[in-house]
Amino acid sequence: MRLTKGTDLALRIAMRLAVLEEEAAPTTRQVAGAVAVPYTHAAKVVTRLQHLGVVEARRGRGGGLALTASGRTMSLGRLVRELEGAGDVVGCEDDPPCPLRSACRLRGALRAAQEAFYAALDPITIEDIVATPTGPVLLGLPLSPTG
């Protein structure tokens, strides 16, 4: 199983915001530069994180991004589930649908493996994953004005 690029980026953005002081409030463009992704991708992911209540975005002078209190303590498993969606690992119902889908045991086995993956992430929070040695590395990423 591989996470989508959007989920990967969302986790990196949340991690970057988690190590900053609240008054730092970087812009989306600055965060995009720090995690080395195009601004347009970062903006889309920040919007998704806002809808999930993980990130707060303030506009105007003194505005910027901040990780919410619930974002800091949210289960990583829950966040990844929300970002990845409820889809199966394999495309049993794709067009055309798999001819084995009515009697296949693979789909159930893969679904159980996927849930085990999420369950392993459930006890971990964003705060947990930015502890040393990760936090200092994240703090060393420059908040570039471009991205």
Side-chain angles (χ1 to χ4, degrees):
M1 184 175 143
R2 184 178 177 117
L3 298 178
T4 63
K5 288 181 182 181
T7 297
D8 173 39
L9 180 53
L11 294 173
R12 288 191 282 149
I13 288 173
M15 291 169 65
R16 179 62 171 119
L17 294 174
V19 297
L20 296 176
E21 300 294 327
E22 191 172 319
E23 57 273 2
T27 65
T28 300
R29 191 168 301 282
Q30 289 174 318
V31 171
V35 296
V37 298
Y39 167 76
T40 54
H41 294 278
K44 182 177 177 182
V45 168
V46 164
T47 299
R48 179 83 169 112
L49 289 171
Q50 278 183 272
H51 286 115
L52 294 174
V54 175
V55 169
E56 177 185 26
R58 296 179 298 263
R59 294 186 178 268
R61 190 169 183 85
L65 304 175
L67 199 63
T68 63
S70 63
R72 289 183 184 284
T73 59
M74 180 181 278
S75 156
L76 209 53
R78 177 177 166 219
L79 180 56
V80 172
R81 277 182 191 92
E82 291 286 338
L83 293 166
E84 287 291 307
D88 287 326
V89 176
V90 291
C92 301
E93 302 299 329
D94 288 353
D95 188 22
C98 176
L100 303 175
R101 73 186 182 285
S102 65
C104 183
R105 297 177 69 191
L106 177 61
R107 185 180 194 178
L110 291 174
R111 190 175 290 140
Q114 182 180 27
E115 188 48 43
F117 170 78
Y118 291 137
L121 296 175
D122 282 340
I124 304 167
T125 66
I126 295 292
E127 282 186 334
D128 294 334
I129 61 174
V130 298
T132 301
T134 307
V137 173
L138 287 162
L139 282 170
L141 299 175
L143 286 174
S144 168
T146 60

